[in-house]
Amino acid sequence: MPEFAVRGRLRQARREATPGPDAVGGAPAELAWRAVPGLVRPSPVLSPDDRLRPDREADHGLRYPPDARRDAFAALRRQPSQDAAVPGEQTRPGTDRVLAVGRPAVRIFLRRVRKKGGRRTARPASYPKTSRVGGESIVRHRHGDLAKAIRIIDELRARYGIDLSSLGSVNAIKRAYARAPRAVRGALRQSGWKLNELQAIRDAAAQYAPILGPRRGASPLAGVAQEVTTMGRVEQAIDENTAAAELDDDTVGEYFQAGRNLALFDAGENYVDRTLTPGLPPPTIEASLKGTAIHELAHGLVEPHHLGTWVTQMAYWRDPYTASGVPGAEEPPTAYGKQNAAEDLCESVAMFFVNRQHLQQHHPARYAFLDRVVAGWNPPQAQAAGQAAQAAATRACARSTGGP
Ligand SMILES: [Zn+2]
């Protein structure tokens, strides 16, 4: 009974306008008469109680033909509010107030009708849906996504010591780009995690398992605070730390040392990165995301400890920002790696984990360097302790998940 529902809404509005035990609510007819030039109020003029009672419309001749009612609402929707009252017409005290509350009420009516219609057609394709989990938005594309997402979030925390915090990312960006205009920093927006993104960051974190979470205590980095403790999902990054800064559409991921935070951006949603996989089939979006996350994690977990040695051992670099120009020096594995020695290192780490054979064959000095670094994370005496910690983390993870 949509008619009843509509009147209910209008009545509510009317009650707010004239509170009191006897106030009888809203009148589509009253509103429409006054709003549509050319429509004339029929006589007799009703008592304040009666004129607002839809069930008495018939008794007093206040009923519209169906088309007129519809047109009246349509006209209300089109007209700005100052047209609502007919100029020069005598109005009883309080009538303007009725109109003032009536117009939003009519808008509610129109929205309800539209929503009802929309819902019927939209139901079969109602995904994606969004859920909130611990302050994060999770975008679900099919039944079961939420349970899987929660399992991954638990695993990230228990096994790798990493929490999701998109707010942490927004704050880290604001801090790192303090010279960007206030409006640009204020336009940073948290975004929603998709299941494939959560899987990608989980798979990326797994590459660093010996130096993350409980296992880190058995690694050479036991005495150093974990360099990445939160990850966030943000719509866009800021392109440069100057007064001319803008939001950009091509940053896929970024690491923020001060916030110990890694951010992923909307630009990664459809990005296929072929630069790490020469000799392999084109990667999926998920594999590209994983490569991005491994690269960004390397900025936090590898660069601070090994960049100095990297620059001295890689003949390609004279200093962290200058290529040596030495003929025949082994090149960075990707074009992006030529930006500076830190990007070279992080690209090499990413290739080490996603395309080890190519790195070994074509960039043997880089491969040998990283093979030593990664082996050092898991010294023999640490392996037993590491396995025990891993088992404990797995148990904790299973406990905290509990549900489906
Ligand atoms: Zn980088």
Side-chain angles (χ1 to χ4, degrees):
M1 290 289 286
E3 279 292 285
F4 178 79
V6 168
R7 283 173 181 153
R9 293 306 279 262
L10 290 164
R11 267 184 202 162
Q12 277 182 0
R14 173 70 177 135
R15 277 203 193 97
E16 282 163 25
T18 53
D22 296 319
V24 181
E30 172 74 3
L31 297 173
W33 284 123
R34 301 199 37 77
V36 183
L39 282 179
V40 182
R41 180 199 297 275
S43 59
V45 174
L46 306 170
S47 76
D49 277 357
D50 286 348
R51 71 188 168 83
L52 298 171
R53 291 279 295 274
D55 52 337
R56 298 209 185 159
E57 283 177 6
D59 301 343
H60 298 287
L62 251 174
R63 184 153 56 180
Y64 280 105
D67 287 353
R69 183 188 286 271
R70 195 188 58 228
D71 293 345
F73 279 122
L76 267 181
R77 199 175 143 204
R78 282 195 302 271
Q79 287 179 3
S81 58
Q82 60 265 33
D83 295 346
V86 178
E89 189 186 323
Q90 286 280 325
T91 55
R92 277 187 303 276
T95 311
D96 288 344
R97 233 163 12 137
V98 176
L99 286 169
V101 299
R103 289 185 58 80
V106 169
R107 264 183 234 121
I108 291 166
F109 157 70
L110 291 165
R111 224 179 294 138
R112 283 168 68 95
V113 170
R114 244 180 275 133
K115 201 173 156 196
K116 266 189 146 50
R119 200 187 294 151
R120 227 172 277 130
T121 53
R123 184 164 286 162
S126 51
Y127 285 106
K129 296 175 180 174
T130 301
S131 299
R132 298 288 287 178
V133 176
E136 299 295 300
S137 291
I138 308 295
V139 182
R140 297 176 286 141
H141 287 93
R142 56 189 62 80
H143 181 74
D145 277 5
L146 184 60
K148 289 178 189 165
I150 290 172
R151 267 202 295 275
I152 292 174
I153 293 169
D154 286 344
E155 185 181 348
L156 280 168
R157 182 179 302 135
R159 195 172 282 182
Y160 307 121
I162 293 171
D163 279 304
L164 297 190
S165 176
S166 299
L167 180 62
S169 291
V170 167
N171 289 335
I173 300 169
K174 285 180 179 170
R175 203 162 146 187
Y177 293 85
R179 289 192 204 113
R182 181 185 288 266
V184 172
R185 283 179 287 134
L188 292 165
R189 293 282 176 272
Q190 298 180 39
S191 193
W193 293 96
K194 282 137 209 99
L195 187 61
N196 64 350
E197 295 166 350
L198 293 171
Q199 288 163 340
I201 61 169
R202 187 259 323 268
D203 294 349
Q207 309 300 326
Y208 298 93
I211 54 168
L212 291 176
R215 285 182 65 186
R216 187 178 174 95
S219 82
L221 296 174
V224 185
Q226 186 167 312
E227 302 87 345
V228 184
T229 53
T230 54
M231 296 194 190
R233 191 64 180 72
V234 182
E235 288 182 357
Q236 290 171 286
I238 295 179
D239 59 353
E240 56 185 47
N241 189 20
T242 70
E246 293 177 354
L247 295 176
D248 79 36
D249 286 318
D250 47 18
T251 302
V252 178
E254 192 164 2
Y255 170 67
F256 300 97
Q257 190 178 24
R260 293 197 270 162
N261 174 283
L262 186 160
L264 293 180
F265 301 96
D266 286 0
E269 282 180 1
N270 299 305
Y271 174 58
V272 174
D273 177 10
R274 293 162 196 262
T275 61
L276 293 174
T277 53
L280 296 178
T284 58
I285 289 171
E286 288 74 18
S288 304
L289 277 168
K290 179 183 160 187
T292 297
I294 292 175
H295 170 109
E296 298 305 335
L297 283 167
H299 277 298
L301 300 169
V302 181
E303 182 192 323
H305 310 293
H306 300 288
L307 181 62
T309 326
W310 183 265
V311 173
T312 57
Q313 291 193 9
M314 298 301 140
Y316 186 88
W317 298 106
R318 182 192 306 157
D319 65 54
Y321 297 97
T322 318
S324 63
V326 169
E330 181 183 295
E331 296 205 341
T334 66
Y336 188 62
K338 294 180 182 175
Q339 294 240 329
N340 57 54
E343 297 306 342
D344 174 20
L345 172 58
C346 296
E347 286 287 87
S348 298
V349 172
M351 190 175 277
F352 182 86
F353 286 123
V354 306
N355 194 0
R356 192 167 300 195
Q357 204 175 11
H358 181 88
L359 193 71
Q360 188 169 14
Q361 281 174 6
H362 299 274
H363 309 271
R366 283 165 171 75
Y367 173 83
F369 187 102
L370 295 175
D371 198 37
R372 279 195 305 277
V373 167
V374 172
W377 291 344
N378 222 349
Q381 69 273 19
Q383 273 177 20
Q387 276 156 12
Q390 173 94 48
T394 305
R395 283 194 301 276
C397 184
R399 253 203 316 280
S400 61
T401 304

